[in-house]
Amino acid sequence: EVQLVESGGGLVQAGGSLRLSCVVSGFTFNEYAIAWFRQAPGKDRVGVYCINMIDNGTRYLDSVAGRFTISRDNAKNTVWLQMNSLKPEDTAVYSCAAGRVYAGGDCQVSYDYWGQGTQVTVSS
């Protein structure tokens, strides 16, 4: 059974930091891309950051450039999203997702497996 479990959300003041974690199981870690999405109330779900686990190729939302970074620990089957300089507009439910990849180079794939989501709230 493929499972993804997020944690690390919470309430933080603008300018603060949070680190989200996504623990994955049930599939070969380096045959997938992992992505973080977010969805604010009344808004569409948006891709925030993704990583191709074959070659570490990444893509990210322009509005998080220089503030968010993604990292992984293969031994722990975990991907982290480090979020710094948080802004109120970052407030959303953040979910991690996984999709199969067959080569490096990108992480724009169909994401078929999803975690439960974790709430991030940034106050003014």
Side-chain angles (χ1 to χ4, degrees):
E1 179 183 359
V2 175
Q3 289 187 312
L4 301 94
V5 180
E6 306 101 326
S7 63
L11 175 64
V12 64
Q13 292 184 344
S17 298
L18 287 171
R19 182 186 291 266
L20 307 183
S21 66
C22 176
V23 179
V24 302
S25 62
F27 55 87
T28 302
F29 201 43
N30 63 0
E31 292 182 352
Y32 282 77
I34 306 294
W36 289 95
F37 292 81
R38 69 186 184 190
Q39 187 169 30
K43 304 288 187 178
D44 291 335
R45 188 177 62 202
V46 177
V48 178
Y49 222 123
C50 67
I51 181 168
N52 184 314
M53 305 303 287
I54 294 175
D55 69 346
N56 293 324
T58 60
R59 299 183 70 86
Y60 49 86
L61 196 65
D62 286 347
S63 63
V64 309
R67 300 190 297 121
F68 292 11
T69 57
I70 198 165
S71 60
R72 74 182 199 183
D73 186 329
N74 287 6
K76 297 180 179 179
N77 289 341
T78 301
V79 174
W80 290 273
L81 183 67
Q82 178 68 46
M83 305 186 295
N84 298 324
S85 301
L86 283 161
K87 304 174 181 179
E89 52 262 46
D90 296 318
T91 295
V93 174
Y94 285 71
S95 300
C96 64
R100 285 281 278 118
V101 293
Y102 302 93
D106 69 78
C107 47
Q108 293 179 285
V109 300
S110 295
Y111 286 93
D112 300 319
Y113 307 103
W114 292 81
Q116 81 284 2
T118 186
Q119 177 71 48
V120 171
T121 302
V122 184
S123 62
S124 300

